[in-house]
Amino acid sequence: MRKDIILIVLILIAVVSISGCINSPIDNVNNRMKDLNTDITEGDTDYNSAVSSINNRDFDSANSNVQIAKQKFDDAGQKLLEIEEYEDDLNESVYKEYIDLIKEEVSLKKQASDELYLAVQYYANNDAYSGNSYAKSSNSLMKKAVILQNERNDLVEENSDLFKKAGII
């Protein structure tokens, strides 16, 4: 009898301690989402710095900034791949919509950064015609990405309680 009680107590302690260590799918998504948002914000900042440097004809700084932006958007893409592992387990359609928007946004920002990188290379080699062509393409892609970013922000605003509870905002 005493052994049974001790055994039950030990099992309960083990279950309680393990349950505190196992994250739900939404916990895993939320943890990665914060880092993902940081990568996107930093990528945006570096992209904009690269554009400013191009406008100032400082192609070395532009190259450096666009390389960092590309890396940040690549990092964001990696985090999205990690998040996709849990996407099917999410119950909230709002989260799925948010993830779909952010996937497309990051993809466009990666493409825009690639185009801007090429523009910098052409500008640095005094080929303004080709540089302008790539810069125009980059600008077009980034405009589309910003539209998606605004849609994503609107989704968060419309569901602020859900996203606050999740710790995303």
Side-chain angles (χ1 to χ4, degrees), residues 120-168:
V120 170
Q121 303 314 305
Y122 281 108
Y123 286 136
N125 289 314
N126 295 317
D127 184 349
Y129 180 80
S130 296
N132 287 341
S133 176
Y134 283 103
K136 183 178 178 182
S137 174
S138 174
N139 188 44
S140 176
L141 290 164
M142 190 54 79
K143 281 183 179 180
K144 291 176 186 175
V146 169
I147 290 169
L148 291 171
Q149 180 179 337
N150 290 336
E151 287 179 28
R152 180 171 56 93
N153 290 338
D154 290 345
L155 184 66
V156 170
E157 211 171 283
E158 292 165 7
N159 298 280
S160 60
D161 290 342
L162 182 65
F163 284 96
K164 282 180 185 173
K165 184 175 120 182
I168 294 174

Side-chain angles (χ1 to χ4, degrees), residues 66-106:
V66 78
Q67 292 282 20
I68 295 168
K70 285 171 49 122
Q71 184 59 52
K72 289 297 179 180
F73 294 135
D74 283 343
D75 291 347
Q78 281 302 119
K79 287 177 182 67
L80 280 167
L81 290 175
E82 294 170 12
I83 288 170
E84 281 180 346
E85 294 176 28
Y86 304 101
E87 191 172 5
D88 292 338
D89 296 329
L90 297 176
N91 295 328
E92 288 289 338
S93 63
V94 173
Y95 285 130
K96 291 180 181 184
E97 184 178 352
Y98 181 87
I99 291 168
D100 289 342
L101 285 169
I102 209 165
K103 278 183 203 175
E104 193 172 349
E105 174 191 341
V106 168

Side-chain angles (χ1 to χ4, degrees), residues 2 14 18 35 42 53-54 57 80 169:
R2 195 168 244 223
I18 289 173
D35 293 336
E42 290 175 359
S53 294
I54 290 171
R57 302 194 54 77
L80 280 167
I169 61 169

